[in-house]
Amino acid sequence: MSEPKAPTPAPGDTYKGWLFKWTNYIKGYQRRWFVLSNGLLSYYRTQAEMGHTCRGTINLATANIAVEDSCNFVISNGGTQTYHLKASSEVERQRWITALELAKAKAFRMQAESDDSGDDSTPPAAGQGAGSRNSEVQSTLRTLGSKVEDLSTCNDLIAKHGSALQRSLSELEGVRLGGETSEKIRQVTERATLFRITSNAMINACRDFLALAQTHSKRWQKALQAEREQRVRLEETLEQLAKQHNHLERAFRGATVLPASQSNPAIDSKGPVSGKGDASDEDEENEFFDACEDVQEFITVPADPKYHRRSGSNVSGISSELGMDDGTTSLDEQSLASNPESPQSQELVPVRKRRTRIPDKPNYSLNLWSIMKNCIGKELSKIPMPVNFNEPLSMLQRLSEDLEYYELLDRAAKCQSSLEQMCYVAAFTVSSYSTTVHRTGKPFNPLLGETFELDRVQESGYRSLCEQVSHHPPAAAHHAISERGWTLRQEIALASKFRGKYLSIMPLGSIHCIFEKSTNHYTWKKVTTTVHNIIVGKLWIDQSGEIDVVNHKTGDRCHLKFAPYSYFSRDVARKVTGVVTDKDGKAHYVLSGTWDEKMEYSRVMQSSRGGENGADGRQKTVYQTLKAKELWRKTPLPEGAENMYYFSTLALTLNELEEGVAPTDSRRRPDQRLMEQGRWEEANAEKQRLEEKQRTVRREREREANRAASPSEEALIEDSISDSPLKSEEVEIASEPSETTYKTDTDETSSDLSLSTETLHGSHPPAYSMEGPYGAPVKSGHQDNYKSMWFEQLVDPVTGEPTHIYKGGYWEAKEQGNWDSCPDIF
C-alpha cells in the first residue's frame, strides 16, 4: 500500500491513499484508491481512473465517522451512503481518521459560512450588482472573523497573565518584610503592567468589533427586510398562479375543445425531461459492456458562417434542399423546426376524459433466484412465470405504445422533401424506446387470437389494431392508420438469450411506414434490448445495435447507431447518432441525442475525410453542420409514476375499460385486470386457468389438423398416447416428433421474449411456402391450422418477407356490434 501524503494533513490539503472497501458478501473487501479533498471523500478503482471515472463520493459536512476496531471504520451520511472501510494498520487508520475529522470540521464551517452568507445577502437587481454585494459581504465577514480571532487571542492572554498576577499577589502576602520585599514588589508591578496592556488590547478589540457591527447592522436589517418582503410577494404570486391553474383545469374539464389537430402541442414545446435515475456507485452489481473509444463514427463541427442566412429569416434547422441553387427556402423546410399545425376545420368535438392513475403497485416480496435457478438453459416459453414479474399490460398493448409520439409521423406526412421526412421517421423510431428506460416489468404474453384496439381518431386522428397471429413462433401483427396521411404496420416476433445475469431480447420482423401523399415507403427493424441484473442487483434496461431506415421509393437511408451503455465510456449514456443520406450516399443531415430523452438534427453543409482514426483504422468523416435543433423530446412521466410501474400518460389509459371492443381484446383479460387491481394471488390462479384452456384448444386443433392430413397416422398417435404409462393427462405430443412438453412445467402462451431453439437454428419444419405469385397468400406448413381473424399472411411486395397484413373487417364489425365470429379465449 502506498503511503499517504502526510500523517496529519492540514485542513483543505488533498489526502490520498489505498483503503479496502466492503463491496458485497461474494467479493468482500476490495482495494480502492481514496482521495480526500475539499470536504469530499471520493474513491476509484485505480489511480488512473482519477481523471475520468469516479466510483462514488460522500460529503463529509453531513457525514458520521465511527471507528469499529483497530483497522476498520465506517463513514455514513444518514443512510443513503455508507462506506465500510479497512486500513492496513492501526497507524494508517488513525491517519485517515485525523484527516477525515479535520476535513469534516472545515467542510461544516464552510457550509455554515455559506448559509449565513446566503441569508444575509440582499436580492440582486442585476448581475453586476449581485457580484459587488457578494464581494462586500464576504469582505465584511472576513473582517469580523479576524476581529473575533483577535478577541479570542486576547482572552487567552488575559487568563494567562491574570493567573500569574494572582500567584504573585499570593506569594507577596506570605513574604516577610525584609530584603526580599522590594524584589517581590517589582515582580508584582511587572505582572500588573502586562495585565494592563493585555486588558487595553482587549478593550480596543471589543471597541473595534462593536463599531464595525454597528456600522453594518442597519444595512443588514434593510437587506433582511427586503428579503422578507420579496418572499411574501413570491408566495402571493404562487398562490394566485395555483388558483388560476385550478380554474383553467375546471374550465377545460367542463368545456369542449378543438380537434386534436389543433390541440396537439408542438413536439419541441413539450415540458422538461424527467431526471434520470442515479446509477449505483457499486460497479460489482452491474453488467457492463467493454468501453468503446470510437462509438461515434463521425465528427461534427460548426459550419462556416458563409452558410448561414443573413436575410433575417427565423428559419431554424433544415433550410433548403440540396440542389436549390437560388437560395430559396420552401415552406415545408421551415416546418421541420416549427411546423405549426394548420387545421382545416374549426369544428368543435367532445373529447373523452381518460384516466390518469391506476392502483399503486403492491409491495410483494418474491425470491427470483428460487424460480430462475432451475430455468437456466431452458426455452423461455416453457418457463412458468408468476405475475410478480409482469406489468398489467399485454405485449399487444406495449406494441401499441410505439404510437406514443405519433405527432412525428403527422409532421412527416406534411413534408415535401423526402430527406426532411426521413428525419422525422428516424426520430419516431428512436422515440418508441423512450418508455422502456424504467419499465423492467414483463408484459403479459398474449393468448393466440387475442387482440387490442387503440381508437384515438377524435383525439389524435389515428386508430390501431394488434392481434396475436401465431403461436409457434409467437408473433403479433400491428396495423395503424391515420386520417393525416400515414399508415404503420409491423409483425414482430422475439428471440431471446438468457445468460443468467442478463437477458437479451432480439425483435425479428420489419416495420413499415407508408405516406399517402408522397407514396414514400419506409422500413426498419428494431434493436436489441438487454435486461441486466436478472439474478442479483437492481434491474436496468439498455438498447443497443444499429437501425437502417430505408425509403424504398427514393433510395434515401438513415443509419442510426444505439451505443451500448458502458461504465467506462466518456460519452453520454443511451446515446444515439445517425446520418441521413440520399441514394448516392451523400450526407444531408446528422442526428444525435439519447433514446430516453431527445433527438436533435443538424444540416450538413460540407463533409470531408480527415478526422481521428476509428476502431477499424479508417479515418472518420468530418461533417460541417449548422446549429443543432430539436426534433423530439420525451414527455415527462406523470406524477407518482414510480408507484404505477413507470407508465407513461398513454400507457395509463391502455387497459382502461371501453365499451364496444371485441371480446378478445386485452382489456377483457381477467388475470391482467386482477393484477392491475393488486389481487396478485387471484391473478396467478386465473393465469394458470387461461394457459390450460389454451393448451386444450391447441391440442384439439392439432388433432383436427392431423386427422385431416392423415387419418391412419392420427389413429396411431392416439393409440400410442393411450398406451403410454404417462397418459395424455401428463404429456402432450407436439406437432414436431422431437418435442415433448410436460404440463407441469409448460406455459404455452405466446412468449414475448423467446423463439424456440429449432426456429432460430433453422431445423424447425418450414412454416412458410415462398412459392406462388408475388404478394400471394402464403401457405403454412405447421400442423396447427390456426388462421388469424383480422390479418392475412402474404409475401410483402417490398421486402419479400412473409408477413401478416390487415385484411379489414374489424372496425366494420365494431360499428355493427357483431362479434359472433370471435373465439372465446378468456
Side-chain angles (χ1 to χ4, degrees):
M1 177 179 294
S2 61
E3 288 297 323
K5 192 172 182 179
T8 54
D13 289 349
T14 300
Y15 194 67
K16 304 175 183 178
W18 291 101
L19 288 174
F20 292 90
K21 181 180 180 297
W22 175 263
T23 56
N24 53 54
Y25 286 100
I26 297 177
K27 296 187 176 182
Y29 283 96
Q30 295 292 317
R31 194 165 180 253
R32 297 289 182 262
W33 179 256
F34 280 79
V35 176
L36 174 61
S37 178
N38 296 326
L40 300 176
L41 180 64
S42 307
Y43 74 94
Y44 311 83
R45 269 192 173 182
T46 62
Q47 299 182 45
E49 284 189 349
M50 290 179 59
H52 55 86
T53 304
C54 178
R55 300 289 173 172
T57 301
I58 191 169
N59 189 351
L60 295 178
T62 58
N64 296 320
I65 304 172
V67 178
E68 290 187 335
D69 54 30
S70 60
C71 295
N72 294 0
F73 58 99
V74 179
I75 303 175
S76 174
N77 64 353
T80 57
Q81 285 179 298
T82 301
Y83 293 168
H84 294 267
L85 305 176
K86 182 170 68 173
S88 59
S89 64
E90 185 174 359
V91 174
E92 184 70 18
R93 185 218 65 188
Q94 189 57 43
R95 289 176 178 176
W96 274 103
I97 292 296
T98 302
L100 290 170
E101 291 291 353
L102 290 173
K104 177 182 177 181
K106 183 173 183 181
F108 182 79
R109 189 164 58 249
M110 291 175 63
Q111 184 178 15
E113 291 176 357
S114 176
D115 293 342
D116 294 341
S117 175
D119 294 338
D120 295 339
S121 61
T122 57
Q128 186 175 1
S132 61
R133 283 194 196 91
N134 289 334
S135 177
E136 181 182 355
V137 170
Q138 293 297 330
S139 176
T140 303
L141 289 175
R142 284 194 297 269
T143 304
L144 289 176
S146 65
K147 293 298 181 182
V148 170
E149 291 179 358
D150 293 343
L151 290 175
S152 177
T153 304
C154 292
N155 180 70
D156 294 340
L157 292 174
I158 286 176
K160 177 182 177 182
H161 294 308
S163 299
L165 180 61
Q166 185 65 34
R167 287 195 305 270
S168 298
L169 291 174
S170 300
E171 293 175 357
L172 182 62
E173 292 177 356
V175 173
R176 296 178 181 179
L177 295 176
E180 298 180 359
T181 303
S182 59
E183 180 65 22
K184 293 296 181 182
I185 292 176
R186 187 180 62 80
Q187 292 181 3
V188 170
T189 303
E190 290 177 356
R191 301 288 185 187
T193 303
L194 290 174
F195 184 77
R196 185 182 68 256
I197 293 173
T198 305
S199 300
N200 290 335
M202 180 75 169
I203 293 171
N204 291 333
C206 292
R207 185 185 301 111
D208 293 342
F209 180 81
L210 182 61
L212 187 61
Q214 289 175 346
T215 302
H216 295 278
S217 175
K218 294 182 180 180
R219 183 182 302 176
W220 291 341
Q221 289 178 359
K222 292 180 180 179
L224 180 61
Q225 184 64 27
E227 289 287 345
R228 289 175 178 172
E229 293 175 356
Q230 185 179 17
R231 180 178 177 180
V232 171
R233 288 195 298 270
L234 290 175
E235 289 177 350
E236 292 176 352
T237 304
L238 184 61
E239 182 179 0
Q240 184 178 3
L241 289 175
K243 291 180 180 179
Q244 293 177 358
H245 182 267
N246 292 334
H247 177 72
L248 290 175
E249 278 189 343
R250 289 194 299 268
F252 176 77
R253 291 168 184 165
T256 57
V257 298
L258 292 174
S261 61
Q262 301 179 42
S263 61
N264 289 338
I267 291 179
D268 50 278
S269 66
K270 290 186 177 180
V273 174
S274 58
K276 296 182 181 179
D278 294 334
S280 172
D281 62 343
E282 276 305 318
D283 50 271
E284 287 83 8
E285 297 181 357
N286 299 299
E287 175 77 11
F288 302 107
F289 292 90
D290 292 336
C292 185
E293 294 295 329
D294 291 307
V295 173
Q296 195 169 354
E297 296 180 348
F298 53 84
I299 301 173
T300 57
V301 297
D304 192 277
K306 68 182 180 180
Y307 293 116
H308 293 271
R309 303 283 183 183
R310 298 184 180 180
S311 60
S313 172
N314 61 351
V315 175
S316 59
I318 300 174
S319 56
S320 63
E321 187 64 45
L322 290 183
M324 299 176 62
D325 297 330
D326 57 353
T328 58
T329 302
S330 66
L331 291 175
D332 197 65
E333 290 162 353
Q334 297 183 27
S335 68
L336 188 56
S338 55
N339 197 14
E341 298 288 348
S342 55
Q344 302 296 325
S345 171
Q346 298 296 325
E347 181 181 357
L348 295 175
V349 293
V351 177
R352 173 180 174 178
K353 180 183 177 182
R354 301 190 182 274
R355 68 182 186 181
T356 58
R357 290 196 61 84
I358 61 174
D360 288 351
K361 178 182 179 180
N363 187 18
Y364 293 147
S365 60
L366 185 67
N367 188 353
L368 176 62
W369 175 246
S370 64
I371 297 175
M372 300 300 292
K373 64 182 180 180
N374 297 322
C375 303
I376 297 178
K378 288 186 178 180
E379 180 185 339
L380 283 181
S381 62
K382 308 300 182 186
I383 299 175
M385 285 288 187
V387 299
N388 302 59
F389 303 108
N390 287 51
E391 62 180 18
L393 290 179
S394 73
M395 187 60 187
L396 302 181
Q397 291 166 315
R398 283 291 291 268
L399 202 60
S400 301
E401 283 191 68
D402 285 356
L403 299 171
E404 175 99 18
Y405 298 97
Y406 66 91
E407 303 102 322
L408 290 166
L409 297 182
D410 290 347
R411 294 187 172 190
K414 296 183 177 182
C415 292
Q416 299 294 331
S417 166
S418 62
L419 293 169
E420 296 174 2
Q421 195 174 71
M422 176 67 80
C423 292
Y424 280 116
V425 175
F428 176 79
T429 65
V430 176
S431 69
S432 63
Y433 297 99
S434 63
T435 61
T436 66
V437 62
H438 300 300
R439 300 274 289 278
T440 56
K442 170 181 169 291
F444 276 80
N445 302 329
L447 302 174
L448 187 61
E450 184 175 335
T451 61
F452 177 73
E453 70 162 70
L454 185 62
D455 192 348
R456 294 289 194 270
V457 173
Q458 287 188 353
E459 301 101 313
S460 308
Y462 71 87
R463 52 177 35 167
S464 163
L465 176 65
C466 293
E467 181 181 1
Q468 190 74 6
V469 296
S470 174
H471 186 71
H472 284 298
H478 179 209
H479 182 271
I481 187 169
S482 172
E483 295 178 344
R484 297 168 191 172
W486 56 265
T487 301
L488 184 76
R489 60 179 174 87
Q490 58 181 317
E491 179 181 345
I492 297 296
L494 297 106
S496 62
K497 291 182 181 179
F498 178 47
R499 293 294 181 260
K501 193 173 182 181
Y502 67 91
L503 174 70
S504 295
I505 306 167
M506 296 151 286
L508 307 176
S510 298
I511 305 173
H512 299 253
C513 185
I514 304 100
F515 293 95
E516 179 181 349
K517 182 179 179 180
S518 62
T519 67
N520 288 330
H521 190 141
Y522 297 86
T523 63
W524 66 90
K525 297 179 182 292
K526 290 182 174 287
V527 296
T528 299
T529 299
T530 305
V531 185
H532 294 270
N533 295 338
I534 293 291
I535 302 300
V536 179
K538 183 179 179 181
L539 292 175
W540 59 281
I541 292 178
D542 191 25
Q543 312 287 349
S544 59
E546 299 181 359
I547 294 179
D548 280 312
V549 185
V550 181
N551 185 341
H552 292 274
K553 178 183 176 182
T554 63
D556 300 336
R557 182 181 296 267
C558 178
H559 181 75
L560 294 171
K561 183 171 183 179
F562 289 65
Y565 177 72
S566 172
Y567 201 60
F568 307 101
S569 175
R570 299 181 182 180
D571 285 328
V572 63
R574 308 180 182 93
K575 185 176 182 179
V576 181
T577 55
V579 179
V580 176
T581 58
D582 56 21
K583 63 180 180 179
D584 299 323
K586 184 178 181 180
H588 291 259
Y589 299 105
V590 171
L591 306 180
S592 62
T594 58
W595 54 262
D596 67 326
E597 183 178 356
K598 65 178 181 179
M599 285 298 293
E600 297 177 336
Y601 65 92
S602 303
R603 177 67 184 266
V604 176
M605 306 310 300
Q606 188 175 350
S607 63
S608 62
R609 292 280 182 176
E612 299 175 1
N613 291 336
D616 55 359
R618 295 181 300 177
Q619 286 186 324
K620 293 182 180 179
T621 302
V622 179
Y623 295 117
Q624 294 186 15
T625 63
L626 299 180
K627 184 179 179 181
K629 297 294 181 180
E630 194 170 89
L631 267 176
W632 159 77
R633 179 177 288 274
K634 179 184 176 181
T635 305
L637 293 176
E639 183 179 358
E642 64 277 4
N643 299 321
M644 299 184 293
Y645 309 89
Y646 287 98
F647 282 177
S648 63
T649 303
L650 174 64
L652 289 173
T653 67
L654 294 180
N655 206 40
E656 185 177 9
L657 289 172
E658 293 189 15
E659 297 181 358
V661 298
T664 56
D665 196 274
S666 299
R667 300 176 180 90
R668 300 183 182 274
R669 181 163 175 166
D671 54 347
Q672 186 173 303
R673 180 66 56 187
L674 289 169
M675 183 194 176
E676 182 184 285
Q677 296 171 354
R679 300 153 62 182
W680 285 15
E681 292 185 4
E682 299 175 56
N684 278 319
E686 191 65 23
K687 182 172 181 286
Q688 294 180 8
R689 181 190 69 81
L690 292 175
E691 292 168 0
E692 182 59 34
K693 180 177 181 179
Q694 181 169 248
R695 295 187 192 106
T696 304
V697 173
R698 179 171 179 255
R699 283 198 300 269
E700 182 62 29
R701 193 166 56 246
E702 289 179 348
R703 288 194 183 99
E704 291 179 359
N706 291 332
R707 190 180 298 113
S710 177
S712 59
E713 182 181 350
E714 172 67 14
L716 180 60
I717 292 177
E718 290 183 353
D719 291 342
S720 63
I721 292 176
S722 61
D723 293 339
S724 172
L726 295 176
K727 303 295 182 184
S728 61
E729 296 296 330
E730 299 177 0
V731 68
E732 300 169 17
I733 304 300
S735 57
E736 295 81 19
S738 61
E739 182 180 349
T740 303
T741 306
Y742 293 92
K743 260 188 192 179
T744 55
D745 292 334
T746 304
D747 176 2
E748 289 200 1
T749 57
S750 302
S751 172
D752 58 296
L753 298 178
S754 148
L755 284 177
S756 64
T757 306
E758 295 81 26
T759 303
L760 293 177
H761 291 82
S763 59
H764 195 287
Y768 309 111
S769 172
M770 300 303 293
E771 299 177 357
Y774 192 64
V778 179
K779 295 183 179 180
S780 173
H782 200 286
Q783 293 189 20
D784 187 347
N785 60 353
Y786 175 79
K787 293 183 179 180
S788 60
M789 278 288 301
W790 312 109
F791 289 80
E792 183 179 9
Q793 198 173 65
L794 303 171
V795 174
D796 188 86
V798 174
T799 63
E801 301 173 349
T803 185
H804 282 79
I805 298 178
Y806 178 61
K807 62 183 179 182
Y810 178 88
W811 304 108
E812 293 78 7
K814 181 181 180 181
E815 290 179 1
Q816 300 172 5
N818 181 11
W819 303 113
D820 296 339
S821 57
C822 291
D824 180 17
I825 61 174
F826 299 142

